[in-house]
Amino acid sequence: MRELTYMIASTIDGRITGPDNGNPDFFLHEGDHGDFLRAEYPELLPSHVRPVFGLDGVPNQHFDTVLQGRGSWEIGMCEGITNAYRHLRSIVFSRSITETPDPTVEFVSTDPLEKVRELKREPGAGIWLCGGGKLAAALRPEIDELIIKLHPVVAGTGIPLFDGEFSPSQFELTDTKPFTSGVLHLTYRKR
């Protein structure tokens, strides 16, 4: 069965973007953590920047599907990018957008949990939840793996990793990967 991985950049205080839900340009872009991601997770780079890093045509290593909330998807739309991940099956969850502006993006207005359970039963590689906080909170019961790319930044306010109701659940720390850039990757599995 396929697994759902929530792999997301976060500040030390647990924010994935600012309060305006805009492009989180306060994360570190340079450093050895970026080299690791490009080598190990080339599918995380948006399609339009992959050629810059020599990754055009490089096969996906972990995921073949990306899930986004409407707010995360709209970050690309503000730049005129209707599908930032053309090399993946792109699914956007939205109750307000009913018609896709791009036939390579599937919009889902029904229950996200049911859709993810359906995706998990299909054959294929992993499913990457790339954002946002409200969708992560809704999908928390189905998240199998949580990879936090913890950046040495404090935001003070903004969109949290999980933007939902209080409902504690435990994860087990399975890997830590520190980088000289100050970024720390923390990998957790659902208990």
Side-chain angles (χ1 to χ4, degrees), residues 37-38 41-47 49-50 53 55 84-85 87:
L37 285 174
R38 286 187 290 279
Y41 293 92
E43 61 267 44
L44 299 187
L45 268 73
S47 299
V49 300
R50 288 170 61 97
F53 292 101
L55 297 174
Y85 302 102
H87 54 284

Side-chain angles (χ1 to χ4, degrees), residues 36-160:
F36 169 79
L37 285 174
R38 286 187 290 279
E40 184 64 27
Y41 293 92
E43 61 267 44
L44 299 187
L45 268 73
S47 299
H48 64 283
V49 300
R50 288 170 61 97
V52 173
F53 292 101
L55 297 174
D56 204 21
V58 171
N60 302 330
Q61 293 188 28
H62 299 275
F63 310 113
D64 65 8
T65 303
V66 61
L67 309 180
Q68 299 177 75
R70 181 189 49 88
S72 297
W73 173 77
E74 284 181 338
I75 292 171
M77 279 298 295
C78 289
E79 303 295 324
I81 301 167
T82 57
N83 184 356
Y85 302 102
R86 292 186 178 279
H87 54 284
L88 298 168
R89 177 181 177 189
S90 294
I91 300 173
V92 175
F93 292 88
S94 173
R95 290 186 189 96
S96 60
I97 299 175
T98 56
E99 291 189 31
T100 180
D102 186 323
T104 66
V105 178
E106 177 184 349
F107 276 80
V108 175
S109 62
T110 57
D111 180 15
L113 278 172
E114 286 306 312
K115 181 63 176 181
V116 166
R117 289 173 182 143
E118 174 187 311
L119 290 169
K120 283 182 163 188
R121 289 188 298 268
E122 295 175 0
I127 304 163
W128 170 38
L129 169 57
C130 90
K134 283 187 180 14
L135 181 59
L139 293 177
R140 190 163 48 146
E142 288 297 324
I143 294 173
D144 300 293
E145 181 179 54
L146 175 59
I147 302 175
I148 300 173
K149 302 175 290 182
L150 192 64
H151 286 247
V153 174
V154 173
T157 189
I159 307 299

